[in-house]
Amino acid sequence: MAVLSCTEGKEHTAPAIHDRDSVSMMTSYGVNTLISDSGVIKYRIVTERWDVNTIKNPSRWTFICGIFLEQFDEKFNIQAYIQADTAWYYDQLKLWELRGRVRVRNVNGLRFNSEELFWDGMKHEFYSNMFSKVITPERTLQGTYFRSDERMTHYIVSNSKGSFVKQDPDDSTPADTKSPADTSNTVPVIRPAATKHAATPKTRQP
């Protein structure tokens, strides 16, 4: 007795992959624009590519091709220039994360170099947990922790590797430099003549 059975073939398929978290709702190229917060212009953004993603948690702006920022005060005066190889801005947190060759320069001549910098818009401060160098007209500081206000006028550098104050050559005279003598005020020194004394005869001991 033979039993014959036939089964209907089933097609094994998987649902389509839609990684919504990786899809930006807006991508702009060649951007040069002003950004405001609460009606006040805060900075200018210059970048080759700007991606906006509101699906990721937290939502963010991504600048994978580098970024250049100009920071303004309330009167639209430039306070600092900021650039980095890569940057993320978490708009809900008002937090900037800058990575790779981060460079900052403010109007007071301060220069900041590091591979990492966070800019917290809620606390109005900068901070970094990586090796950083701060150069001012007076000194150079290096350390693995940096914290500053938004204008970089008050800052701290801890775990410092070195600090020195530059010396202005006009403020001091080298110790081995002597001024030439003023001969017009030189008073001649007169030595008294030597006095002759009679020789004392010597006696010979027996």
Side-chain angles (χ1 to χ4, degrees):
M1 181 177 179
V3 178
L4 299 177
S5 64
C6 60
T7 58
E8 182 180 356
K10 294 183 179 180
E11 183 178 357
H12 299 280
T13 60
I17 298 175
H18 296 289
D19 188 1
R20 297 183 60 195
D21 285 351
S22 64
V23 178
S24 300
M25 64 167 293
M26 184 193 77
T27 300
S28 302
Y29 298 92
V31 177
N32 185 342
T33 186
L34 297 173
I35 304 297
S36 63
D37 184 7
S38 301
V40 179
I41 296 177
K42 290 295 185 70
Y43 33 80
R44 179 196 303 274
I45 292 179
V46 180
T47 183
E48 289 297 322
R49 177 171 173 171
W50 177 13
D51 294 283
V52 177
N53 191 308
T54 58
I55 303 301
K56 286 188 176 182
N57 187 20
S59 61
R60 67 200 64 186
W61 304 348
T62 304
F63 306 89
I64 62 173
C65 296
I67 190 172
F68 176 81
L69 288 167
E70 286 181 339
Q71 180 188 0
F72 302 107
D73 63 7
E74 294 79 5
K75 297 182 180 179
F76 200 56
N77 297 315
I78 297 176
Q79 294 299 305
Y81 303 96
I82 305 172
Q83 66 181 41
D85 289 343
T86 309
W88 296 267
Y89 177 64
Y90 305 99
D91 55 323
Q92 295 180 353
L93 304 176
K94 294 186 177 181
L95 177 66
W96 282 94
E97 179 182 352
L98 307 166
R99 298 280 181 178
R101 292 187 296 181
V102 181
R103 304 291 183 263
V104 181
R105 181 163 188 162
N106 68 5
V107 293
N108 298 322
L110 179 144
R111 289 179 292 163
F112 171 88
N113 300 332
S114 182
E115 292 295 314
E116 170 197 270
L117 183 64
F118 291 91
W119 178 5
D120 192 331
M122 294 286 193
K123 299 181 179 179
H124 304 286
E125 65 179 11
F126 290 100
Y127 63 91
S128 175
N129 296 306
M130 294 185 67
F131 175 78
S132 305
K133 179 183 288 187
V134 178
I135 304 173
T136 70
E138 294 80 22
R139 67 180 61 199
T140 297
L141 297 174
Q142 300 179 89
T144 56
Y145 178 78
F146 171 81
R147 186 175 293 273
S148 168
D149 63 342
E150 283 187 322
R151 297 185 179 181
M152 286 198 171
T153 54
H154 300 86
Y155 55 88
I156 60 173
V157 179
S158 62
N159 298 329
S160 178
K161 289 192 174 182
S163 172
F164 66 89
V165 178
K166 295 182 180 178
Q167 183 178 8
D168 189 348
D170 296 333
D171 293 340
S172 61
T173 304
D176 58 351
T177 302
K178 297 181 180 179
S179 302
D182 186 1
T183 57
S184 61
N185 296 326
T186 302
V187 179
V189 178
I190 302 176
R191 297 178 180 275
T195 303
K196 295 182 179 180
H197 298 277
T200 303
K202 296 181 179 180
T203 58
R204 180 175 295 179
Q205 300 294 329

